[in-house]
Amino acid sequence: MGKVVMRFGEVVLKTSQYDTLKSWYSQVLDTEPMFESERTAETGPSGMTQMCVIRPYLEFPFTETLVILNVPGLRQPDETVPGMHHFQMQFASIDDLFDRYEALTAHGIAPARSANHGPSTSFYHRDPDGNQVELSVKNYATEAETLAFIQSEAFRRNPSGIDVDPAGYVGRYRGGVSFEELRRIPEPV
């Protein structure tokens, strides 16, 4: 029997800032909700009064979605409480990631952290509730190259990679630095 193909199907966020989160994720994911329920006075499952479903990507039968539930009266989590650390959205190319970065910064949405991890480059954003969203791209064209880097001594010594200034990083690339040079992590001295 072969290995079963399985992918994440959805991420569900609950918030008391429904309209703010819906707007923020529509901007970040560059798409409007494919479904939105009417707001009700009565609470439904999970205490929600409204929900929307945002589908940033579709490759049927895999239908990755982000669901936002309006749950009035929630308070902000604190960093010492267990829960989701972040979720990741991947882009097909560095150009797509950098185009999205530029579009978001034009709307005042800047990364909280940016890193060249070695096998990938990532810009981490915080949504209005403080959830962390990683926008990422693979740094290598093939799975074999990516796995080779992950199995390297350099990655073993430093799996977090290096923090980068996003404006400078994008600027270097837009100024003509090749992606191969940009993705290179300097050896420690």
Side-chain angles (χ1 to χ4, degrees):
M1 181 174 206
K3 186 169 176 86
V4 173
V5 175
M6 183 178 2
R7 296 183 185 174
F8 282 101
E10 66 183 12
V11 172
V12 180
L13 301 175
K14 58 185 181 178
T15 184
S16 59
Q17 302 185 78
Y18 177 82
D19 292 323
T20 301
L21 242 61
K22 180 181 76 168
S23 174
W24 194 88
Y25 278 103
S26 292
Q27 187 70 47
V28 168
L29 301 176
D30 196 26
T31 188
E32 293 298 317
M34 62 170 276
F35 169 80
E36 184 170 18
S37 69
E38 296 293 322
R39 188 167 291 173
T40 64
E42 301 281 324
T43 59
S46 304
M48 73 172 191
T49 60
Q50 188 173 18
M51 71 176 286
C52 70
V53 177
I54 299 173
R55 182 179 291 166
Y57 177 77
L58 173 64
E59 183 183 286
F60 194 83
F62 304 106
T63 55
E64 291 91 350
T65 57
L66 172 69
V67 179
I68 301 172
L69 305 178
N70 185 37
V71 181
L74 291 177
R75 52 186 176 74
Q76 291 301 105
D78 106 23
E79 291 292 320
T80 64
V81 176
M84 179 182 73
H85 184 270
H86 73 274
F87 69 91
Q88 180 190 78
M89 300 295 297
Q90 289 186 336
F91 289 88
S93 73
I94 195 72
D95 291 297
D96 292 343
L97 175 66
F98 288 175
D99 288 349
R100 193 82 222 123
Y101 162 79
E102 291 168 335
L104 292 174
T105 55
H107 286 89
I109 301 173
R113 177 181 182 231
S114 303
N116 175 350
H117 296 298
S120 63
T121 295
S122 300
F123 294 166
Y124 295 86
H125 294 77
R126 291 239 179 239
D127 75 15
D129 276 349
N131 298 305
Q132 195 168 207
V133 180
E134 177 184 4
L135 304 181
S136 186
V137 66
K138 294 288 186 229
N139 281 346
Y140 294 94
T142 68
E143 184 177 21
E145 290 173 295
T146 301
L147 291 175
F149 189 92
I150 290 171
Q151 294 165 353
S152 73
E153 185 58 32
F155 189 71
R156 190 174 326 286
R157 284 193 318 265
N158 182 12
S160 291
I162 58 171
D163 285 351
V164 297
D165 166 58
Y169 203 67
V170 172
R172 287 177 55 216
Y173 181 72
R174 298 288 196 222
V177 172
S178 71
F179 185 42
E180 289 72 28
E181 175 63 23
L182 193 68
R183 74 177 183 207
R184 190 178 64 75
I185 295 179
E187 288 293 323
V189 286

